[in-house]
Amino acid sequence: MAASMQLLNLKPFQSHSTSTYLPQRHSRPLIIRCCSATSSAAKSYNITLLPGDGIGPEVISVAKNVLNLAASTQGIEFKFNEMPMGGAALDLTGVPLPEETLTAAKQSDAVLLGAIGGYKWDKNEKHLKPETGLLQLREGLKVFANLRPATVLPQLVDASTLKKEVAEGVDLMVVRELTGGIYFGKPRGFGTDENGEEIGFNTEVYAAYEIDRIARIAFETARKRSGKLCSVDKANVLEASMLWRKRVIAISEEYPDVELSHMYVDNAAMQLVRNPKQFDTIVTNNIFGDILSDEASMITGSIGMLPSASLGASGPGLFEPIHGSAPDIAGQDKANPLATILSAAMLLKYGLGEVKAAERIELAVLDTLNRGFRTGDIYSPGNILVGCKEMGEQVLKSLDTKVPASSVV
C-alpha cells in the first residue's frame, strides 16, 4: 500500500501556472482505452471506489473512465473495487460504514470517494447518519491531513462571485487537521443542566502531537509553494487554540525559510473574500478548516470544481471532491464531475506518486474548459452547456490528444 504522507517529501507541489499550457484542439474521434485490459502494464494498483449517495455514483463513474485512460498512457493498471458507504450502505446493511468496506479501503493503494448524505437519512440517529460513516472512514484510515487547493482558473474567473480584480490569480492551499478537534473530542452528547434544561455538548481538544504533525505537513506544503504559511486559530478565546498557536510557533523553528503568520478565524473568513491573494498556504483545525475551505471554494466560482486529498503517515489516502451529494440534482445528469476528476489527479500525484499521469488529467481539464464546455454551475453565456456525462466525454477527448505532460524532476 502507498505510504501517502511520505510522498509529500518526495514529490514537489506543482504550481497552477500550467493553465497557460493547454493541449491543442483536434478533430480525431474519441478512443477510450481501458488500462485494466492491457497486459503490458508495468505497474498495478488497487483502488477502492466509494460512490456513495446522490450525485456520487455519477461523478465516480466519470472519474473512473478518466483514471483508466490516463493510466493507459503511462503503463499503469488499475484494479477497482467498488464498495457501499453512507446512505447507500445504510440501505444495504443498516450501517453507514460496513466493516467489509473499511477493510477493503485499508487493503487498497488509494480510496476515491464520491459523496455521502441525503434528505432520506437526515432524521436518523447520529450513529446511523451517512456522515458518521465518513468520520469513521477517516479515523479508520488514520488520515489526519486534508489538503484542499483553491485556484481561480483563468477560464473561470468570471464565474467567481467576487470582482475580477479580487479573484484573478488566487491560488491557495488549505491544510486542515482532519481527525481531531471538536468533531472527535470527548466528552460529547446530550444531557440536562442544573435547571433541567436539555443541553448538547461537544469538546474541542487537541494533543500537542496532533498539532505538531499537521503543522509539519503545512510547513512542508508552504515550502514547496511560495514559502508563506498562515496559521488560523481563535487563540484570544479558546485554550485549544492557545496550545495550537504555541505548538505551531515551536515547529516553525524547524522551517526558518517559511514565513509564518497568525490570524484569528473570524478575521480569516473576512480576509478570504476581501483579499484572498494574500494567502498561499493556510493551516487550521478541523472545524475551522471545514468552513474556510468551503468559503474558499466559492472564490473559484463553484464548489463543484475543488478536489481534496486526505493523507496519513502511511497507508492509503482518501481522495474526494469537497462538494456534497446534491440530492436535488441526483440522477439528472447535471452534476459537475470536474472536482472528482481533479481528486483522481490528486490520487495519482499524492497517493501513488504518478505525477505525469496526474498532470495529463489536469491539462485535460484545462483544455476542456478552454474549449468552452461548462456544466450548469459554472456556465456563462457564450459557452457550451453540457451535463455530467458529456463533460466527462470532453475531458476524455482532451486526454486522448496525447499532449505530453510537463517534465517532472
Side-chain angles (χ1 to χ4, degrees):
M1 291 182 283
S4 303
M5 195 54 68
Q6 294 175 1
L7 293 171
L8 291 176
N9 296 323
L10 296 174
K11 299 295 180 184
F13 284 89
Q14 304 297 309
S15 72
H16 299 276
S17 59
T18 54
S19 56
T20 58
Y21 173 55
L22 294 171
Q24 300 299 310
R25 296 187 185 187
H26 67 98
S27 57
R28 295 168 50 217
L30 174 64
I31 301 173
I32 299 178
R33 304 181 189 87
C34 180
C35 70
S36 61
T38 305
S39 59
S40 60
K43 289 171 284 187
S44 178
Y45 298 106
N46 295 314
I47 308 297
T48 295
L49 299 177
L50 305 175
D53 312 317
I55 63 173
E58 298 171 66
V59 295
I60 285 290
S61 176
V62 170
K64 179 181 177 182
N65 290 337
V66 171
L67 271 174
N68 268 329
L69 183 53
S72 72
T73 67
Q74 300 296 316
I76 300 168
E77 177 183 4
F78 286 130
K79 297 177 182 177
F80 294 104
N81 186 15
E82 189 171 311
M83 300 295 291
M85 183 188 164
L90 279 165
D91 291 347
L92 284 172
T93 70
V95 294
L97 182 66
E99 187 61 38
E100 294 80 6
T101 297
L102 180 57
T103 298
K106 287 180 176 180
Q107 293 176 349
S108 63
D109 294 302
V111 181
L112 184 63
L113 170 67
I116 54 98
Y119 307 132
K120 179 179 179 180
W121 307 282
D122 277 352
K123 295 183 179 180
N124 286 15
E125 294 183 30
K126 182 178 178 297
H127 71 285
L128 294 178
K129 287 182 177 289
E131 294 78 8
T132 298
L134 180 57
L135 295 178
Q136 292 170 342
L137 179 65
R138 291 169 177 169
E139 189 173 29
L141 293 178
K142 295 181 171 57
V143 288
F144 64 84
N146 183 228
L147 278 61
R148 292 188 170 189
T151 304
V152 177
L153 301 175
Q155 299 92 336
L156 297 180
V157 66
D158 292 330
S160 175
T161 55
L162 300 183
K163 294 178 180 178
K164 183 176 181 178
E165 60 268 26
V166 176
E168 194 168 33
V170 170
D171 179 8
L172 62 89
M173 176 78 79
V174 178
V175 180
R176 169 191 172 193
E177 199 289 321
L178 199 59
T179 56
I182 201 166
Y183 290 172
F184 291 91
K186 296 179 181 180
R188 61 188 300 156
F190 301 95
T192 55
D193 64 12
E194 63 274 11
N195 298 317
E197 290 287 338
E198 186 178 9
I199 61 171
F201 55 93
N202 296 86
T203 302
E204 168 74 357
V205 57
Y206 272 105
Y209 82 90
E210 294 177 301
I211 303 170
D212 290 357
R213 66 185 183 182
I214 194 65
R216 286 191 175 96
I217 297 306
F219 277 108
E220 291 287 346
T221 304
R223 172 180 279 173
K224 293 164 185 172
R225 289 171 57 88
S226 72
K228 292 174 58 179
L229 176 64
C230 179
S231 176
V232 174
D233 58 39
K234 192 62 177 171
N236 58 335
V237 176
L238 302 175
E239 284 78 3
S241 278
M242 295 174 192
L243 177 63
W244 180 281
R245 183 171 293 203
K246 176 183 175 182
R247 294 309 309 162
V248 171
I249 291 173
I251 298 300
S252 71
E253 296 179 2
E254 302 174 16
Y255 300 89
D257 55 322
V258 177
E259 177 187 338
L260 174 65
S261 62
H262 302 273
M263 193 174 290
Y264 296 140
V265 64
D266 43 356
N267 187 30
M270 179 181 70
Q271 294 296 330
L272 267 176
V273 294
R274 188 187 74 84
N275 180 22
K277 285 194 286 283
Q278 69 182 284
F279 297 104
D280 178 79
T281 306
I282 295 172
V283 62
T284 191
N285 69 13
N286 204 341
I287 189 169
F288 297 163
D290 192 3
I291 296 167
L292 292 179
S293 59
D294 278 6
E295 180 186 5
S297 74
M298 290 313 300
I299 299 172
T300 71
S302 172
I303 199 170
M305 289 298 301
L306 297 193
S308 74
S310 300
L311 307 173
S314 62
L318 173 64
F319 303 85
E320 58 181 307
I322 75 168
H323 61 67
S325 61
D328 291 343
I329 62 170
Q332 301 176 43
D333 194 37
K334 293 181 178 179
N336 184 344
L338 294 183
T340 310
I341 292 172
L342 291 170
S343 294
M346 293 190 81
L347 181 155
L348 287 164
K349 183 182 291 186
Y350 299 119
L352 304 179
E354 299 289 351
V355 179
K356 289 186 178 181
E359 284 188 337
R360 284 184 175 276
I361 292 176
E362 292 166 353
L363 289 170
V365 168
L366 291 172
D367 183 54
T368 301
L369 293 172
N370 197 50
R371 292 187 291 117
F373 293 96
R374 303 287 190 271
T375 47
D377 57 313
I378 54 175
Y379 176 76
S380 59
N383 291 304
I384 306 166
L385 180 63
V386 296
C388 180
K389 292 179 182 178
E390 180 61 23
M391 181 64 90
E393 291 296 319
Q394 292 301 325
V395 172
L396 288 170
K397 183 177 181 180
S398 292
L399 190 59
D400 198 46
T401 59
K402 299 183 181 178
V403 173
S406 60
S407 59
V408 179
V409 178

